[in-house]
Amino acid sequence: MESPFKGDILKGKVALLTGGGSGIGFEISLQLGKHGAAIAIMGRRKTVLRSAVAALHSLGIPAIGLEGDVRKREDAVRVVESTINHFGKLDILVNAAAGNFLVPAEDLSPNGFRTVIEIDSVGTFIMCHEALKYLKKGERGQASSSSGGIIINISATLHYTATWYQIHVSAAKAAVDSITRSLALEWGTDYAIRVNGIAPGPIEDTAGVSKLAPEEIRSKATDYMAAHKFGEKWDIAMAALYLASDAGKYVNGNTLIVDGGNWLSNPRDLPKEAVNQLSRAVERKPRDSPVGIPKSRL
Ligand code: COA
């Protein structure tokens, strides 16, 4: 779909996106780039980074790929520094890196729980923390109201009530929302940095949906959804454009729900045994190729 925003709304801006090489993260990279920003993508997979950067270059978007794991502070430092060395500054940080899998709480190991918390919540904090000195555009308390950088944290709606077999992600995303509000308060006040979140609902063609609502249970799941359909990556990227541009200049500390109202209802009663098998089957597949669930696994 065509963007309703003008093509130059982010002209001259530099954006760093974790998890920006695939799924929702890549669509945000693409749309920020199409609207004028130079793009640095951080991710763990070299092949994914390479093809994402090539796709952006083919559209004339200045872009670099930087290997790194958001759980490691030294990676965050290196990636932020490399962005500055390459593009000279940093204006927008998008935290889109996330980990997920379906698993009943009683079958989830503490390390499985910790892994998702570390990627989603700790990783988000680490990246914000390391990016801060470049997102500040003036001295503490001296920045004018529109002069600071922008942070956008990708969250979820899972934790608004409770979601089956998502205790780890629900806890992790609740922490992300809380980080968004705390940083908006502290860094918004001190440095005019705007910190907002986006909470996507189920989005077509993403690893998240392949894992959480694979083909075999998708039609059943949509029966329970208020919108009766999944969203598109484009929907999330447009929300990111709004928040990253001056259109959102008076929005701070907010997590924008982009899910067609689906959070108002929740799919229930997915069969636990099928979920267990499904989750393991998906994780066994190579992560570089699109995921799908063989019917034989159900
Ligand atoms: N069900 C239950 N536990 C699982 C699991 C599953 N499907 N997948 C992993 N785990 C557990 C592991 O058993 C391990 O715990 P243990 O040491 O007690 O056995 C722990 O989680 C860490 O697993 P590991 O594979 O070492 O972690 P990783 O860092 O390589 O991978 C994941 C992290 C598991 C979150 C992986 O799915 C990932 O990196 N995903 C990123 C992409 C993604 O999920 N995108 C979707 C965003 S919505």
Side-chain angles (χ1 to χ4, degrees):
M1 275 180 71
E2 278 294 302
S3 163
F5 294 96
K6 286 184 180 165
D8 63 352
I9 54 171
L10 297 180
K11 193 172 171 199
K13 302 286 183 190
V14 175
L16 167 61
L17 299 95
T18 71
S22 61
I24 288 172
F26 177 69
E27 184 68 22
I28 300 174
S29 300
L30 180 66
Q31 294 296 343
L32 297 189
K34 280 185 170 180
H35 290 77
I39 304 296
I41 297 176
M42 177 181 186
R44 282 190 290 165
R45 294 170 288 170
K46 220 182 246 172
T47 49
V48 171
L49 287 175
R50 216 177 283 136
S51 63
V53 168
L56 297 179
H57 283 169
S58 72
L59 295 170
I61 298 167
I64 52 170
L66 300 163
E67 245 184 292
D69 185 334
V70 295
R71 291 172 282 190
K72 297 180 184 154
R73 187 176 183 188
E74 62 275 21
D75 285 14
V77 171
R78 177 178 43 76
V79 163
V80 170
E81 295 297 333
S82 301
T83 304
I84 300 298
N85 289 341
H86 195 88
F87 291 122
K89 63 174 186 154
L90 177 62
D91 303 296
I92 302 164
L93 170 68
V94 179
N95 288 299
N100 207 348
F101 45 83
L102 280 174
V103 61
E106 67 176 309
D107 300 326
L108 175 63
S109 72
N111 193 42
F113 185 87
R114 186 182 300 113
T115 297
V116 172
I117 297 279
E118 282 182 352
I119 297 171
D120 294 21
S121 326
V122 183
T124 293
F125 179 73
I126 289 175
M127 292 305 299
C128 292
H129 199 257
E130 296 313 322
L132 173 63
K133 66 179 169 189
Y134 300 107
L135 293 173
K136 293 177 189 173
K137 305 294 179 189
E139 291 303 307
R140 187 178 189 135
Q142 300 299 310
S144 72
S145 61
S146 62
S147 62
I150 306 280
I151 297 175
I152 299 173
N153 297 326
I154 305 302
S155 181
T157 60
L158 306 169
H159 52 291
Y160 292 174
T161 51
T163 302
W164 289 95
Y165 314 133
Q166 289 285 277
I167 189 171
H168 45 329
V169 186
S170 301
K173 294 301 193 182
V176 169
D177 289 354
S178 187
I179 288 169
T180 295
R181 288 190 293 271
S182 295
L183 295 186
L185 176 65
E186 293 192 30
W187 296 355
T189 305
D190 287 345
Y191 304 114
I193 293 172
R194 288 195 294 111
V195 188
N196 289 294
I198 300 171
I203 301 296
E204 285 290 0
D205 300 325
T206 58
V209 156
S210 305
K211 290 183 176 197
L212 307 186
E215 281 303 328
E216 286 77 359
I217 57 172
R218 192 168 304 190
S219 56
K220 185 167 158 55
T222 50
D223 287 350
Y224 292 93
M225 287 160 49
H228 293 296
K229 64 178 181 193
F230 292 79
E232 296 169 24
K233 289 177 275 194
W234 185 90
D235 295 314
I236 309 305
M238 292 301 113
L241 272 178
Y242 165 70
L243 292 172
S245 71
D246 283 346
K249 69 181 172 45
Y250 198 51
V251 181
N252 201 15
N254 183 54
T255 293
L256 185 57
I257 303 170
V258 184
D259 82 333
N262 282 323
W263 71 282
L264 300 165
S265 66
N266 234 339
R268 287 162 191 271
D269 301 330
L270 303 182
K272 184 171 161 184
E273 283 318 309
V275 163
N276 263 332
Q277 290 172 20
L278 203 57
S279 176
R280 291 291 177 182
V282 169
E283 290 306 319
R284 269 196 295 272
K285 289 186 175 271
R287 293 184 50 228
D288 285 349
S289 55
V291 280
I293 313 297
K295 287 212 161 57
S296 58
R297 295 249 179 236
L298 290 172

